[in-house]
Structures are given as structure tokens and as C-alpha cells.
Amino acid sequence: MELKPGLSALVTGGASGIGEAISIAFAERGIFVTVVDLSEEKGKQVTAVIQKINAKFHQNLKFPSALFVRCDVTNSGELSSAFAKHLQTYGGLDICINNAGIYTALPLHNDPTDGSATWKRTINVNLVAVIHSTILAVRAMQAAKRPGVIINMSSSAGLYPSFADPAYSASKGGVVLFTRSLLPYRRQGIRVNALCPEADQLWYLCCEVAADNANLEFVETNIGSKVDPKFVTLVGGFIPMKMVVTGALELITDNTKAGCCLWITNRRGLEYWPTPAEEAKYRVSSSKSSRRFLQIDPLDIKLPQSFKKIVVDSLNHNFRAATRIRCAPLTQPINPNHVLVKILYAGVNASDVNFSSGRYFSGKGGDIARNLPFDAGFEAVGIIAAVGDAVNDLKIGSAAAVMTYGSYAEFMIVPSKFILPVAKPEPEVVAMLTSGLTASIALEQAAQMGSGKTVMITAAAGGTGQFAVQLAKLGGNKVIATCGGKDKAMFLKSLGVDRVINYRDEDIKTVLKKEFPEGIDIIYESVGGKMFDMCLNALAIFGRLVVIGMISQYQGEHGWTPSNYPGICEKLLAKSQTVAGFFLPQYSHLWRQHLDKLYNAYSSGMLKVSLDPKKFVGLDSVADAVEYLHTGNSIGKVVVSIDTTLCQAVAKL
Ligand code: NAP
């Protein structure tokens, strides 16, 4: 959501602390604000400040640019009236900040067990009222049928225990899981996120609010002893209010954020919780649950006597010169543990030229040419057309993906253990194979990507780059992307990239030096040559540069000439940096898990998969498609339709 004048926000606990700071940040963007608070005096003061700032954006308004509503958020009638007043004045609600919260220093065992219990008040203010307010905000946003963002204020004590106030921790933990469970509202354009600041001055303010709200005199007397200064030093000091506001604004402006929990600490910056790796541990694989799997009538799959495939019959980095289309018999029955797949779509990869030049076999030593002829193509999706007698878990007519060599073919026979069951044999699924899996696994394993880092992706608008930028963004990082061309730059902006560098218009080195003087934490590098050198120089202390490929070196006059990197040891040593290689075939044990993750993100709308619009049809067009990718003009994934008739039939299902 773009923060622009004319939007409206309601902020509970808006009279002081974080609520006040966020309300003022809204006013500085011309946003109308309703300040909801128990404290009339402070609430009116803040409202007057907001109106003054807002006057720069709005003249001759027929309504006030900020409202104050006195309200105890635990009183459902008062809270509902506050929302009603906001909607009456501003005609809708774009942003709701459920910020009101209290804290107590009263030891749990001293808490009364009757109606005056402070733990109950804590739960009521911090959790029950947040749930109530969220319901009111969701209803208002649904009624207006326009996008909305809700931020529920939690705390680091909602992520891990707070021994000082267990009830506070319980309430904030409740807010975290309540908020994360609201992810599905994203489909209605309503994004609900939680903010979890650590050791901010809110702790003190909460004490004041607690004292105000619940008349807890003892709190006031204990304020000084409540937050142990040693602990504050240990966690890196109080976090500046500016950092909390930055986090809140990020959750509002970043349209990919829903059901997210942003943890803010001085030690680690802004970090999303849980990390994708943590989340993967408890998520149920959709291949075993809700995903609807396509099933084709086996009678619709015609099995010919023979089929065509592309083979490499001479080693050459020029794919066209190295390959030819060959006819092979389709002998039945197939081997007991094998599966026959009818290919619908095959994916094109930069490395097709490395494969045709024999580079994939060079590690095995000896005469590479003795492997000739070999089948070309790395990845495809299709329909299972026949299964061997020993295959019980795969059905004829179901959709499958394959990532073994030989996918530039009308049919493939592969061992059943290599079949990746997929919901539908769509071209988007082909894109998720080599390209998507490389991004997903390399960022997790080789880059060890967390949150709150600066991540740079080169060749970012390409097959694998498009996934890398989105996964880095979804992980809560600042993303820089390089590309060559205006259309690519626009495409990357639409994916949420923070800084696109179109190297045809701007010098990458100059931009990085000026705008990122601290260096880049993680670089996903696939261009090689001068780009690699530049990336290495731009790496931050502790930075990780992952070598994904070197496309600029693949097709020199004599093929791929390895580069020399003098001084690389000295450079890495001086800044404790890491240069890590990544080669997807070595991570086959993670393919299924990551493919599920990508498919889930894609089907829930969190991840976009873009295909290059240029159409390539039939095996005859594969060499054209490979050459097209190497022109550097493609955007997204280049895919070849192998059987158009079946592709169309499947697309209609
Ligand atoms: P792609 O990114 O769809 O297409 C290649 C892009 O590279 C071009 O659009 C172009 O974009 C850029 N490029 C830069 N210099 C180039 C040059 N001299 N010639 C042609 N293009 C150039 O291709 P991809 O299949 O997804 O592969 C991208 C990289 O990832 C390759 O290096 C590939 O080998 C690597 N990869 C590695 C693995 C692995 O396991 N390690 C797996 C998959 C892919 P801009 O001009 O916009 O930069």
C-alpha cells in the first residue's frame, strides 16, 4: 500500500509512545488519523499536532484531519463507537494499528485472584481488545472493498518468554499467533501483521499506561527497578522509536507482507519471524493435503511406436550445432521400476550450452566425447503415460515433473523415484523446477539468508533471478536487482525490488558505492566475469557471495574460459567474507520440499511466476529458444510447448 494523502488510519493507544510516533508518521504523509486512547489530555494534544502537520496536505476540508476518541479498548461498546466515528468521518478505513497495551511489574504470585487481577486486565487490553479491534477493522475494510492493513502490536516477549511479566508474554504470544493465523484475509486484500519490538522505551510507557488504566500505584513506584539496566545493555540498548516506525511502515507498504511477524532488535535489526526454514519444519506439505491434483483420462494419452528427442551428438557450446532431433522406439512394457512421461512443457536454461559442450561430464575425467550421444534438456512437466509393474504409488494420467537429463523429448522413461508429483503440468511449474529451486535452495543453504539484510541479485529479471528477488523480499530483506533494459526494470519493480539497477542506464559500481557504502550482505550472482569482480568488491564485512553461474562466460569464441581471480584470498580474509558455490543437482534431497514450498507460495498468491511471452512450439524450436535466452532479451522463464494439443486440453481442465 502506498502511503499517500487521503488514506485514513485508526490507532489505539495513539496518545503516547509507539502509537503517537506512528500517528505522527502518518500525518507526515497526509493521512487522516483517529487517535483512540484512554488519556484525554495526551490524546487531544497529539491530535492537535497531527492536524497541524496534516494542514500542509489538506486545505478547506469539511471534516477534521484527525480525531480523538476517548476509549477504554476493553469496553467493547466504546471500541465499536470509536470505529463508527472514524467510518462516519472518513468514509472507510485503510490502516488500523492495534497498539494499546499494558505491562505490570507485580509478581504473579502476588496478583489478586478476584476481579481486580492485573493479569486479567493485561490479557484483556493486550489480546482480547486486539482481537475485537481486528474484527471491527476487517469488517470495515471488507465493506469498503478496498485494500487494508492491520498491524497488531506484539513484543519480543511474544516470541520468547518474559520472566518479568508472564501474563504480558502470554498476551503478546497470543497476538503473534492470532495475527499469523489471519494470513488468509490476504485474498480479500486485507493484510494483518504483527510488530514485535524488543526493549523499547514502550516498556516504561506501558508502565505509565498500566498505572493510568488500572490504578496500579505500585507500578509507578517500581518503574525504576522494572527494567534492569544490565539487561538493557545486554540486548544492545533501547531500540530507537524511529526503528519501530520504520518497521510499521514496511509492514504497510510492502504488499507481500501478510500474517507476518516483524521482530525489531538493536542486535539484529528488522527480522521476520519465523524464518522460512523454521516455518518449513511445521508446515504440512500440500502434496499430501489440500492440493488438488489433475488427472487425465489414460485413454486420451496416445502411445505411438516411436518418439522424437533431442540428442547431443557432438560437443559444442553452440547448442544448435551440437544437437539433432532423433527418433527412438517406444518399447513396451517399460522396466518394472520405471515410468513413461508424456512431456508437455520443457524448460530452457542458460546451462543448456554447457551441457551440449560436455561441461557437465568434465568432472568425471577421461574422454568426455565417449558419453556421446546423450539426451539434452534438464526439466519438464507432463503426464504419466505408463508405469512399470513394480510402480504402485504413481497413477497413469497424473501430472508429474522430471528433472533428469533428456527432457527435450516427446516422451521420457525415468526411474519412478525421480518423479516429482505436481498438481498440474503447467508451464509455471516448469519455471519452479531448475530456476525456482536454485533460488530457493541456494538462498537458504549457500547464502544462509535470514531477514533484515541487503541482498543483491544479478540477472534478476531472468528465469532464476525472478524467484531470487521475491524470496529475498518475502524473507524480509532489502533487495537490489541488476538487469539490462527498461522493461526488465519495470518488471522487477512490480516484484517489489527496493532498488533496481538497469546497467544500460546506470553504472552499477557507482550506484553501489553511493547508496550502499556499508556493502551488500548477500549476493546471488549468475553473470560472472566483470560482474563477479564488481560484486566481490561490493560485499560487506561477513558478506556471502553465492556463485550461481557465469552466463557471460559460457559462449566465448572458444566456449567457456575459466577466469583468474588474483588476490581473492586476501580480500576474503580481510573482511571475513564467504564465496560459496552452488550447483542444484547436488541438492536433489531438498527438491521435493522446496518445490512444495514454492508451489504453496505461488498458489496462495505470495509468489509470482513470469514466463517470457515469446512462444516456442515443438522440438524444432528448442535451439531457437536456447539462442533466444542467450540474447539476454528474455524476461522471466523461457519455456517450450512440446505437445500443444495436450497442453491446450490440460489448460482447460
Ligand atoms: P536467465 O536469467 O533467464 O537468462 C539469462 C540472463 O542473463 C539474461 O536475460 C541477461 O539478463 C543476463 N546476462 C548477463 N550477461 C549475459 C550474456 N553475456 N549473455 C546472455 N545473457 C546475459 O537464465 P537462467 O537459465 O535463469 O540462468 C541464469 C544463471 O543462473 C546462469 O548463469 C545459469 O547458469 C545459472 N543457474 C545456475 C544453476 C545452478 O545450479 N548453479 C541453476 C540454474 C541456473 P540481464 O542483461 O538483464 O542481466
Side-chain angles (χ1 to χ4, degrees):
M1 177 183 285
E2 192 190 343
L3 289 170
K4 53 184 183 203
L7 294 180
S8 76
L10 182 145
V11 183
T12 71
S16 57
I18 292 178
E20 177 187 0
I22 294 177
S23 298
I24 302 248
F26 285 159
E28 282 161 353
R29 287 155 181 84
I31 295 170
F32 304 131
V33 185
T34 296
V35 173
V36 175
D37 208 288
L38 204 54
S39 162
E40 194 149 0
E41 193 192 334
K42 284 190 206 156
K44 283 186 174 164
Q45 275 168 13
V46 173
T47 304
V49 174
I50 296 170
Q51 284 174 348
K52 202 168 161 198
I53 302 172
N54 244 333
K56 284 188 263 168
F57 298 91
H58 310 282
Q59 284 92 39
N60 307 322
L61 279 178
K62 295 201 167 60
F63 50 85
S65 67
L67 288 178
F68 169 69
V69 182
R70 192 195 173 279
C71 162
D72 176 349
V73 288
T74 62
N75 180 320
S76 55
E78 285 183 25
L79 191 61
S80 299
S81 311
F83 272 83
K85 196 151 181 209
H86 179 97
L87 295 175
Q88 213 177 22
T89 311
Y90 302 115
L93 174 69
D94 302 292
I95 303 162
C96 176
I97 311 289
N98 292 318
N99 164 73
I102 59 170
Y103 185 94
T104 166
L106 184 64
L108 191 69
H109 55 269
N110 289 343
D111 209 345
T113 48
D114 58 15
S116 67
T118 49
W119 69 264
K120 263 192 195 158
R121 173 94 183 142
T122 303
I123 301 285
N124 283 337
V125 174
N126 294 4
L127 178 60
V128 178
V130 165
I131 295 176
H132 185 200
S133 190
T134 302
I135 294 171
L136 294 171
V138 165
R139 282 187 191 156
M141 288 165 183
Q142 281 172 329
K145 290 198 169 59
R146 55 180 209 235
V149 182
I150 300 168
I151 295 182
N152 292 333
M153 191 56 66
S154 181
S155 155
S156 54
L159 300 173
Y160 50 83
S162 159
F163 305 127
D165 189 349
Y168 178 80
S169 201
S171 67
K172 294 300 188 183
V175 168
V176 163
L177 284 177
F178 168 67
T179 304
R180 288 179 57 202
S181 304
L182 299 177
L183 175 72
Y185 280 107
R186 163 215 288 276
R187 290 184 188 200
Q188 298 175 24
I190 302 168
R191 296 183 290 109
V192 194
N193 294 304
L195 204 56
C196 301
E198 178 178 83
D200 60 64
Q201 302 201 23
L202 171 77
W203 285 18
Y204 287 121
L205 294 164
C206 280
C207 297
E208 289 173 21
V209 176
D212 280 353
N213 289 356
N215 197 20
L216 305 169
E217 297 87 343
F218 65 90
V219 172
E220 287 196 313
T221 53
N222 283 306
I223 282 175
S225 60
K226 256 171 39 65
V227 183
D228 183 345
K230 272 192 249 146
F231 173 69
V232 176
T233 313
L234 203 66
V235 297
F238 288 121
I239 55 171
M241 194 61 89
K242 211 173 136 208
M243 209 163 155
V244 184
V245 173
T246 303
L249 298 187
E250 177 168 313
L251 289 175
I252 298 168
T253 53
D254 186 340
N255 292 331
T256 64
K257 297 289 177 278
C260 288
C261 194
L262 183 56
W263 183 36
I264 305 180
T265 62
N266 257 341
R267 286 163 293 145
R268 301 168 65 106
L270 272 56
E271 191 162 345
Y272 284 88
W273 184 292
T275 59
E278 278 297 316
E279 199 159 359
K281 285 185 194 162
Y282 66 81
R283 265 200 189 270
V284 180
S285 156
S286 64
S287 64
K288 292 180 196 123
S289 60
S290 59
R291 204 192 296 171
R292 226 168 56 89
F293 279 73
L294 172 134
Q295 183 68 36
I296 297 273
D297 187 339
L299 294 176
D300 288 343
I301 308 165
K302 310 270 176 296
L303 294 185
Q305 302 278 310
S306 61
F307 69 97
K308 288 190 202 146
K309 61 179 180 174
I310 294 185
V311 296
V312 176
D313 67 358
S314 65
L315 298 178
N316 198 324
H317 65 274
N318 178 330
F319 187 85
R320 193 184 293 277
T323 56
R324 70 186 167 93
I325 297 176
R326 199 192 243 194
C327 220
L330 190 60
T331 24
Q332 291 227 57
I334 56 172
N335 285 341
N337 288 312
H338 281 60
V339 170
L340 176 72
V341 182
K342 164 109 191 89
I343 304 298
L344 267 66
Y345 297 99
V348 179
N349 286 284
S351 251
D352 283 323
V353 300
N354 297 326
F355 190 68
S356 67
S357 70
R359 281 218 157 255
Y360 273 42
F361 301 104
S362 57
K364 295 182 179 160
D367 178 16
I368 300 165
R370 79 168 178 230
N371 293 300
L372 292 170
F374 48 84
D375 298 344
F378 298 159
E379 55 181 355
V381 292
I383 303 287
I384 295 181
V387 294
D389 286 346
V391 179
N392 303 316
D393 55 341
L394 296 168
K395 268 202 202 144
I396 298 176
S398 57
V402 267
M403 287 177 68
T404 49
Y405 305 140
S407 58
Y408 287 144
E410 291 170 338
F411 286 89
M412 272 179 96
I413 298 173
V414 287
S416 64
K417 64 178 180 193
F418 292 152
I419 293 290
L420 296 162
V422 292
K424 240 182 152 187
E426 299 164 306
E428 285 81 1
V429 176
V430 178
M432 285 177 221
L433 300 176
T434 308
S435 301
L437 288 176
T438 295
S440 183
I441 302 173
L443 287 173
E444 180 188 284
Q445 299 286 317
Q448 297 175 11
M449 184 178 77
S451 298
K453 301 284 180 206
T454 313
V455 180
M456 181 159 109
I457 318 289
T458 62
T464 187
Q466 63 167 326
F467 288 97
V469 294
Q470 293 182 78
L471 294 175
K473 207 60 210 139
L474 284 169
N477 298 288
K478 183 167 209 155
V479 177
I480 308 162
T482 73
C483 69
K486 286 195 168 45
D487 289 347
K488 291 186 181 188
M490 267 165 57
F491 167 62
L492 289 166
K493 267 274 157 213
S494 77
L495 296 183
V497 169
D498 298 289
R499 178 62 161 102
V500 180
I501 313 176
N502 170 3
Y503 60 75
R504 295 202 182 139
D505 289 347
E506 290 183 285
D507 177 51
I508 302 177
K509 195 171 151 187
T510 312
V511 173
L512 294 181
K513 236 179 166 169
K514 189 169 160 217
E515 296 177 28
F516 302 92
E518 302 286 303
I520 317 294
D521 300 310
I522 293 171
I523 306 185
Y524 183 91
E525 207 302 277
S526 54
V527 173
K530 286 184 188 142
M531 182 71 93
F532 174 88
D533 293 343
M534 195 159 47
C535 288
L536 188 60
N537 288 331
L539 208 55
I541 294 178
F542 301 122
R544 294 183 79 85
L545 192 166
V546 183
V547 178
I548 298 296
M550 323 87 175
I551 190 168
S552 66
Q553 296 168 233
Y554 293 167
Q555 284 200 311
E557 203 185 323
H558 307 291
W560 178 346
T561 323
S563 304
N564 267 329
Y565 298 103
I568 195 164
C569 296
E570 292 77 359
K571 268 186 187 161
L572 298 179
L573 179 75
K575 291 192 176 175
S576 302
Q577 294 164 331
T578 305
V579 173
F582 177 85
F583 190 45
L584 184 64
Q586 281 146 7
Y587 289 87
S588 57
H589 56 291
L590 296 176
W591 289 356
R592 209 172 266 243
Q593 175 201 332
H594 279 256
L595 188 58
D596 266 354
K597 213 169 76 176
L598 289 170
Y599 195 88
N600 284 338
Y602 165 67
S603 44
S604 67
M606 282 163 78
L607 182 76
K608 288 183 196 150
V609 178
S610 297
L611 307 172
D612 185 87
K614 203 166 166 63
K615 296 273 169 269
F616 295 97
V617 177
L619 289 179
D620 293 331
S621 72
V622 168
D624 297 336
V626 172
E627 285 173 5
Y628 173 62
L629 186 147
H630 280 275
T631 60
N633 293 327
S634 57
I635 302 185
K637 180 76 183 177
V638 179
V639 172
V640 178
S641 311
I642 304 291
D643 182 328
T644 40
T645 320
L646 203 51
C647 287
Q648 281 163 8
V650 165
K652 284 188 194 140
L653 292 173

